[in-house]
Amino acid sequence: MTTPQEENFMRKISAEEKIEPKDWMPDAYRKNLIRQISQHAHSEVIGMQPEGNWLTRAPSLRRKAILLSKIQDEAGHGLYLYSACETLGISRSEMIEQLQSGAAKYSSIFNYPTLTWADVGAIGWLVDGAAIVNQVSLQRTSYGPYSRGMIRICKEESFHQRQGYEAMLALAKGSEGQKAMAQDALDRFYWPALMMFGPHDSESAHSQKSMEWKIKRETNDDLRQKFVDQTVKQIEVLGLEHPDKNIKWNEARGHYDSSDLNWDEFWSVINGNGHCNRQRVEHHIAAHDEGEWVRDAITAYNEKKRAKNAQHAA
Amino acid sequence: MSDQIKQATQEYATRLGDDSVVLGHRISEWVSYGPFLEEDIAYGNVALDYIGRARMFYTYAAELADDGRDEDDFAYMRNDREYRNLLLMELPKGDFAYSQVRQLFADVYYTLMLPELLQSKDETLSAIAAKAIKETKYHLRRSRDWVLRLGDGTDESHQRAQKAVDQLWGYTHELFDMDETEQLLADAGIGVDVAGLRDRWLEMISAILTEATLTVPEDSWAVRGGRIGYHTENLGHMLTEMQIVHRSHPGCKW
């Protein structure tokens, strides 16, 4: 038996109308969105760490400025996404608790270490590139605040992707040493970037309902294919070797065929056992705990001001 | 421009570039370590302003040197003994109070110094000052607010802020030292006579610290030497990290 509320909700979804914070929505829709948006916000925030790892070693002042600016944008994305998620009735501090306890996830890509300067370029190009493929699709997501956030975020991400690619190009066209660094970064980040789209559709726990509610607009495998296709040419222009030796144009499908991914690795990293899972969460907890006395100071200061103002008023 | 003035101006632009790159680097160390996300963004913003200034000062120094070097040669290919930044800028980031108090000291200094540099007869220096003044206005609002909140917050924040003030105070005297090079440029209407700024700096700082319920220290000690390359032990480590990639690939473009 569907209630009139449910009917009205599904009517809006079918008519491509956005669901807004004050609208009625099924609990499961709300939960699903909170999971997805907070995970997205946490990814932006945790993503500051692997890139921040190179802030103090950026090889030119121009690159240092670009990297600073990019990380600042990511933090800004984290902020809008936390705000978008708060419209669903969860606070930022609750979300942070879930991140720190492991109850909420963030993109597994950030559990891979950034080992050389070229990794910064590879992240901008491949990781932001994969994120954009997903986010362009999410601009049409059914929840209004999330959709609007995506539109804004996509503009900045495209800029990051171009800058990342340009950084890779400088390396690929540079000295032997620089070129080797670029190839190594491509070899390490290509596969995890493909894994960013999530498991095969057949294995994806949340996919079906998310598609029905138009939270997700395209399936994991379709989005991954888009990314595989667009990356082939980009690797060619760099003059680097494609990490997938089985990559081959398939005329009948109109797409590239490629190797299957190492799903054991995928699940192992998702389940907390990648190179950096523990480090990333510990870093977040340590910074958060160290900041406690600062946050307490603000509260105390504001209370003193309020008391003083109240005294003046009286 | 006479050769003597030109050389002095190049040295001056290098010094100001060194101050900016070193402080910008220290601030950038806060990214992802702030007490909350808004602070990570703010730190990134301020660091970016300083790196931008460093690029402008170094580019000008390189132009005057006219020996094929560029901004990155100034930043990445000089050793700690060749760096000419003020010691205050190179001290490690410390805790949040330490960084904010250092920032306040620097921000008030630039609030007074930059309008003088804006008057410089050297158009490039004046143009850099014009851009930097706007940034510093925002920086000072932020560091002042923070010092007020920390000083007049909890017992712990008060103690941390006072400790930072006491530990940093001895490094502030050097900000107002003049040597022959800077005197020459000040007399020529190109550089700033920073010695004349100390009284106003002290007045502004005292007012803020007092409002923050913090004590203004006695002038009982002073450490100097940044302008002659006599640094603290911290700069060598900082530059080792900053320069490692650049120097590992000599002559490469990035």
Side-chain angles (χ1 to χ4, degrees), chain B residues 193-206:
Chain B
D193 185 352
V194 286
L197 304 178
R198 159 91 179 159
D199 288 348
R200 274 189 293 157
W201 182 87
L202 189 58
E203 200 180 305
M204 282 175 73
I205 289 289
S206 302

Side-chain angles (χ1 to χ4, degrees), chain B residues 28-235:
Chain B
S28 78
E29 292 175 343
W30 273 100
V31 172
S32 88
Y33 291 89
F36 44 89
L37 197 49
E38 285 82 347
E39 276 309 300
D40 283 324
I41 298 177
Y43 269 125
N45 212 343
V46 178
L48 201 51
D49 288 342
Y50 278 101
I51 300 302
R53 281 184 206 182
R55 296 183 65 190
M56 293 187 284
F57 283 126
Y58 284 152
T59 297
Y60 188 42
E63 188 189 313
L64 293 170
D66 194 23
D67 54 8
R69 284 185 296 168
D70 65 10
E71 57 180 43
D72 288 333
D73 292 312
F74 279 79
Y76 292 93
M77 298 306 290
R78 289 183 306 134
N79 296 328
D80 49 350
R81 300 279 284 133
E82 297 165 277
Y83 259 70
R84 291 290 180 267
N85 60 283
L86 298 162
L87 301 179
L88 180 71
M89 312 304 183
E90 75 195 39
L91 299 170
K93 78 185 209 295
D95 68 8
F96 190 78
Y98 191 84
S99 272
Q100 290 300 352
V101 169
R102 182 233 308 264
Q103 201 58 46
L104 178 73
F105 290 170
D107 291 341
V108 171
Y109 175 71
Y110 284 121
T111 299
L112 298 169
M113 182 272 206
L114 290 171
E116 305 271 327
L117 191 63
L118 182 68
Q119 303 304 318
S120 173
K121 285 181 183 162
D122 184 299
E123 284 175 14
T124 308
L125 293 177
S126 172
I128 297 172
K131 182 168 184 299
I133 283 173
K134 292 179 203 147
E135 297 162 355
T136 286
K137 214 169 159 183
Y138 156 77
H139 299 169
L140 176 61
R141 202 168 62 206
R142 177 169 172 270
S143 60
R144 180 180 177 277
D145 279 357
W146 267 118
V147 170
L148 292 180
R149 286 185 269 181
L150 296 179
D152 198 13
T154 61
D155 286 346
E156 181 178 7
S157 69
H158 178 88
Q159 279 168 23
R160 285 181 188 250
Q162 186 64 55
K163 190 173 165 196
V165 168
D166 295 343
Q167 287 185 335
L168 289 164
W169 196 255
Y171 295 94
T172 62
H173 303 281
E174 186 189 40
L175 271 56
F176 307 99
D177 287 349
M178 294 290 285
D179 65 2
E180 273 178 32
T181 303
E182 294 195 22
Q183 199 57 56
L184 175 76
L185 292 175
D187 293 344
I190 292 170
V192 177
D193 185 352
V194 286
L197 304 178
R198 159 91 179 159
D199 288 348
R200 274 189 293 157
W201 182 87
L202 189 58
E203 200 180 305
M204 282 175 73
I205 289 289
S206 302
I208 296 167
L209 294 184
T210 306
E211 191 183 341
T213 73
L214 295 165
T215 307
V216 180
E218 300 290 323
D219 290 331
S220 53
W221 62 284
V223 181
R224 313 179 132 89
R227 294 293 192 223
I228 55 166
Y230 185 49
H231 291 279
T232 69
E233 291 177 348
N234 304 291
L235 184 68

Side-chain angles (χ1 to χ4, degrees), chain A residues 175-243:
Chain A
S175 69
E176 281 307 307
Q178 284 177 307
K179 191 172 175 181
M181 203 195 285
Q183 183 70 54
D184 171 50
L186 169 60
D187 291 345
R188 280 182 290 110
F189 274 93
Y190 180 74
W191 304 103
L194 294 185
M195 293 180 194
M196 285 173 68
F197 296 97
H200 281 312
D201 301 336
S202 52
E203 309 276 323
S204 178
H206 307 285
S207 274
Q208 199 197 340
K209 210 61 190 158
S210 289
M211 293 289 288
E212 208 173 290
W213 281 330
K214 298 187 180 171
I215 292 175
K216 276 173 82 160
R217 302 308 307 253
E218 289 171 87
T219 70
N220 293 352
D221 287 327
D222 286 350
L223 291 168
R224 185 170 14 245
Q225 182 71 58
K226 262 189 203 175
F227 181 73
V228 166
D229 291 348
Q230 77 180 31
T231 307
V232 172
K233 181 78 189 161
Q234 294 169 347
I235 295 174
E236 262 173 44
V237 172
L238 290 174
L240 297 177
E241 274 183 45
H242 201 294

Side-chain angles (χ1 to χ4, degrees), chain A residues 15-159:
Chain A
E16 298 285 328
E17 281 176 37
K18 297 293 176 216
I19 305 299
E20 295 298 334
K22 285 182 179 159
D23 295 345
W24 182 89
M25 60 188 88
D27 279 347
Y29 176 86
R30 186 184 298 275
K31 265 193 201 146
N32 203 329
L33 269 176
I34 289 177
R35 184 188 55 77
Q36 183 167 334
I37 303 175
S38 70
Q39 181 173 323
H40 193 163
H42 296 325
S43 302
E44 300 280 0
V45 170
I46 295 293
M48 295 166 72
Q49 292 180 33
E51 296 192 292
N53 184 37
W54 286 92
L55 262 181
T56 53
R57 290 176 291 172
S60 73
L61 293 178
R62 176 170 165 265
R63 292 290 173 200
K64 196 184 183 79
I66 290 173
L67 184 57
L68 262 170
S69 173
K70 175 175 196 266
I71 297 176
Q72 214 189 343
D73 286 347
E74 313 289 5
H77 298 170
L79 272 186
Y80 322 146
L81 288 163
Y82 281 134
S83 307
C85 208
E86 281 179 321
T87 64
L88 292 160
I90 183 171
S91 68
R92 201 207 297 186
S93 57
E94 285 173 284
M95 289 185 259
I96 288 175
E97 267 172 42
Q98 290 176 353
L99 169 68
Q100 296 186 343
S101 74
K105 303 267 188 234
Y106 55 88
S107 178
S108 256
I109 190 78
F110 300 122
N111 291 317
Y112 290 82
T114 50
L115 301 178
T116 73
W117 167 252
D119 291 9
V120 170
I123 288 183
W125 166 37
L126 297 170
V127 175
D128 288 53
I132 293 165
V133 169
N134 192 27
Q135 289 165 6
V136 163
S137 166
L138 286 173
Q139 291 179 356
R140 297 184 293 124
T141 191
S142 57
Y143 189 57
Y146 192 28
S147 160
R148 291 188 287 273
M150 282 301 110
I151 292 168
R152 188 161 168 191
I153 287 172
C154 273
K155 285 185 193 147
E156 291 180 354
E157 296 286 13
S158 310
F159 191 59

